[in-house]
Amino acid sequence: MAASVVGICCYVSRRGSCNLFGPATLCLTLRSKFHSSSSAHNGLLLSLHKRGVLKDSFPENAAQDQLPRLLQSGAQTVYCGFDPTADSLHVGNLLALIGLLHFRSAGHHVIAVLGGATAQIGDPSGKTSEREQLCADVVEANTHSIRESIQRIFTNHELHFHDGSRPLGTVTVLNNLSWYKNWGVVGFLSEAGRHFRMGTMLSRHSVQSRLKSAEGMSLTEFTYQVFQAYDFHHLNQIYGCKIQLGGTDQLGNLMSGHEYIHKVSGEVVYGLTIPLVTSTVGDKLGKTAGNAVWLNRDKTSPFELYQFFLRQPDASVEGYLKLFTFLPLAEVEKLMEQQREDPSKRLAHKRLAAEVTKLVHGKEGLESAKRCTNALYHSSVQALEEMSDEELQELFREAPFHELLLEPGTTVIDACRKVGAIPEGPRGYQMVSDGAVWINHTRTDNPEQVLIPKLHILANGLTLLRVGKKNFYIIKWLSL
């Protein structure tokens, strides 16, 4: 298969020990099944359903009896896959990680599988055209970046959201390239391919929609469901994994794994789907749609992530609090009551933004987001003074960043000209005189004003220069 290998990474809870463990049926909606089953066996699943984290399950009797009893019988292993087709996951993937975090908090072991092999094939689910082929080196770099992101989020959850009332399950991060690297095409097809039926594979919605398109579907994409099914089988055999999480668009792939395992080993395994996160106009949030909000800081800063959730429509906030935070449902309801009493305070929006930012970027990331918010929207000079170079560049991502030597007698007009903020000659001079220039949120109209420390130059050696409403320039002053 692929030539290069990205090693397996095992990330283990600080509180846990290093313990590496490890025919198609009608898909059922969880609601009716959970309410008809014994509450003694369905606590976790019912809780996740009430929050909206879980949507469907299979096989038919899973939600009613078998799966709740399995979870109640002892610690189980749950997995979810993430193809490293970019160097960062995005908000659309975050809900899957939150699903794993809920299972881990309940004492179950979780596995995040990074598709170092499958990313080079391309998942056709929800796609209108074939994904651009990625080379092995790019996939390996993406895998490394996403592994670090997943580990960071699990660490933040353990540090800031787990109450310690019960032991956490272990976390394992794997790369599926590790179990495909020694397979040859003939060997794999001989071993796995004989258990798949063309009629069933062709009937999948993801396949049907692509076959009817003008572009059609390549053999490479068509085989994706075989690889995802084999992943589940491998994890079942090696780690005892019996539960797979996936988005609703992954239902066909999840069912392929269930069918394959049943044929090969007779093991009973289960699939759970989580809802897709969509924009206000119903588009799936992700790379393909071009509207991704990323989980890596170098692509979406803590401030930008904070603002994304802060700006959610009022109608979405309660649902997002249930989906993306670990707040008890009673606390969510109390927050919504406070919001209804005084909508102008936007308490629910602020709590949502804070909780998600802290999960993704930690307390330091949340503090950074708040500093940036105060600096930009509340004209706080103190917040500007406390910001690092990195935060300023994140906040004003499109703003030019200049390092200048601070010479004695440097004036406002000198600074503006050195960074190209105003035109040369009388026109630029007049712009400053007319009050078009702001320094550290304070309007200045004297071109000959010598720059004053603590007023024009902050204690961190920075100056935020703005010309007009949106043209920002960041100056880092170097002393003589």
Side-chain angles (χ1 to χ4, degrees):
M1 310 303 285
S4 62
V5 181
V6 182
I8 298 176
C9 171
C10 172
Y11 168 70
V12 184
S13 161
R14 292 181 178 84
R15 296 184 177 89
S17 59
C18 187
N19 177 26
L20 283 182
F21 40 78
T25 52
L26 178 65
C27 181
L28 266 240
T29 301
L30 294 175
R31 181 186 303 274
S32 61
K33 289 299 176 182
F34 285 155
H35 284 285
S36 65
S37 57
S38 168
S39 61
H41 294 290
N42 67 12
L44 174 61
L45 296 182
L46 180 57
S47 173
L48 293 181
H49 168 66
K50 287 181 176 179
R51 302 188 75 94
V53 174
L54 294 184
K55 185 173 177 59
D56 298 307
S57 75
F58 67 91
E60 183 175 356
N61 57 356
Q64 183 176 13
D65 185 43
Q66 295 179 5
L67 185 52
R69 287 181 180 275
L70 177 67
L71 292 171
Q72 190 72 14
S73 68
Q76 300 301 315
T77 303
V78 185
Y79 105 90
C80 186
F82 306 89
D83 277 348
T85 52
D87 57 1
S88 172
L89 298 178
H90 50 77
V91 166
N93 304 122
L94 183 58
L95 194 54
L97 290 173
I98 286 175
L100 291 179
L101 288 166
H102 278 292
F103 275 97
R104 187 192 181 206
S105 291
H108 301 290
H109 307 301
V110 298
I111 300 176
V113 174
L114 305 183
T118 44
Q120 298 178 57
I121 296 171
D123 183 2
S125 303
K127 307 295 189 299
T128 58
S129 61
E130 186 164 5
R131 189 186 299 279
E132 183 179 349
Q133 185 177 6
L134 299 174
C135 69
D137 289 344
V138 170
V139 172
E140 183 173 356
N142 291 349
T143 301
H144 177 76
S145 179
I146 290 175
R147 179 192 290 122
E148 290 184 339
S149 180
I150 290 175
Q151 291 174 349
R152 182 184 71 246
I153 290 171
F154 273 90
T155 297
N156 288 336
H157 173 263
E158 183 174 345
L159 291 174
H160 307 308
F161 297 96
H162 182 62
D163 60 10
S165 59
R166 64 181 300 172
L168 289 166
T170 58
V171 181
T172 307
V173 182
L174 303 173
N175 180 357
N176 67 6
L177 189 56
S178 64
W179 55 84
Y180 288 117
K181 64 184 176 67
N182 293 324
W183 276 107
V185 175
V186 174
F188 182 75
L189 289 177
S190 176
E191 175 74 22
R194 67 179 66 252
H195 298 286
F196 291 85
R197 293 295 172 263
M198 291 296 297
T200 303
M201 295 176 69
L202 287 167
S203 69
R204 302 298 186 208
H205 175 73
S206 60
V207 174
Q208 283 293 309
S209 61
R210 289 296 300 281
L211 289 177
K212 295 175 183 177
S213 69
E215 182 178 326
M217 172 181 261
S218 71
L219 175 62
T220 302
E221 281 189 305
F222 183 65
T223 62
Y224 185 90
Q225 57 184 297
V226 176
F227 286 92
Q228 184 161 328
Y230 188 84
D231 286 348
F232 199 177
H233 168 68
H234 176 84
L235 297 173
N236 174 254
Q237 294 296 300
I238 304 301
Y239 299 95
C241 180
K242 294 184 177 180
I243 304 168
Q244 180 180 178
L245 286 182
T248 53
D249 61 344
Q250 293 294 307
L251 184 57
N253 293 330
L254 269 64
M255 293 179 73
S256 292
H258 173 269
E259 295 162 4
Y260 177 64
I261 292 170
H262 181 73
K263 288 179 180 179
V264 172
S265 66
E267 286 270 357
V268 178
V269 296
Y270 306 91
L272 294 171
T273 65
I274 56 178
L276 299 179
V277 183
T278 59
S279 67
T280 54
V281 295
D283 294 331
K284 176 183 173 182
L285 294 182
K287 301 180 291 292
T288 305
N291 56 2
V293 177
W294 303 97
L295 303 186
N296 282 12
R297 182 168 187 159
D298 59 346
K299 295 174 76 71
T300 297
S301 70
F303 165 75
E304 291 168 321
L305 181 69
Y306 183 89
Q307 289 297 320
F308 171 77
F309 282 97
L310 189 65
R311 294 171 181 170
Q312 288 302 309
D314 292 349
S316 301
V317 173
E318 183 173 2
Y320 275 17
L321 280 167
K322 294 176 181 178
L323 287 171
F324 288 103
T325 79
F326 301 94
L327 298 175
L329 294 180
E331 188 170 347
V332 172
E333 180 56 36
K334 183 178 179 181
L335 262 174
M336 295 312 300
E337 289 177 3
Q338 294 173 334
Q339 176 113 332
R340 287 188 284 269
E341 290 172 2
D342 189 352
S344 64
K345 290 185 178 180
R346 295 172 60 81
L347 295 177
H349 291 77
K350 292 176 181 177
R351 187 64 180 276
L352 169 65
E355 294 288 304
V356 177
T357 305
K358 186 164 61 173
L359 175 65
V360 176
H361 294 293
K363 281 188 176 180
E364 298 79 5
L366 176 57
E367 291 168 359
S368 173
K370 289 182 175 180
R371 277 195 298 272
C372 291
T373 298
N374 288 333
L376 185 61
Y377 295 119
H378 304 293
S379 300
S380 171
V381 174
Q382 180 181 353
L384 274 178
E385 205 158 36
E386 293 172 350
M387 291 172 68
S388 66
D389 296 4
E390 179 186 29
E391 287 173 339
L392 268 173
Q393 291 178 74
E394 288 174 347
L395 179 58
F396 304 100
R397 198 174 288 276
E398 304 302 322
F401 185 90
H402 298 269
E403 290 188 336
L404 300 179
L405 188 64
L406 181 59
E407 299 173 341
T410 299
T411 63
V412 170
I413 193 71
D414 293 334
C416 291
R417 286 174 174 164
K418 285 181 178 180
V419 299
I422 59 173
E424 292 289 341
R427 185 184 169 200
Y429 194 95
Q430 190 63 45
M431 287 176 65
V432 179
S433 300
D434 291 342
V437 173
W438 297 68
I439 296 181
N440 299 332
H441 297 311
T442 300
R443 187 194 297 269
T444 179
D445 58 6
N446 181 1
E448 303 298 339
Q449 171 68 58
V450 174
L451 299 184
I452 302 172
K454 297 185 179 181
L455 175 62
H456 301 110
I457 303 171
L458 302 178
N460 54 4
L462 295 171
T463 293
L464 178 64
L465 180 66
R466 173 164 66 88
V467 179
K469 292 183 178 181
K470 297 181 179 179
N471 299 312
F472 289 94
Y473 302 83
I474 303 168
I475 303 174
K476 175 73 172 182
W477 294 102
L478 306 176
S479 299
L480 285 172

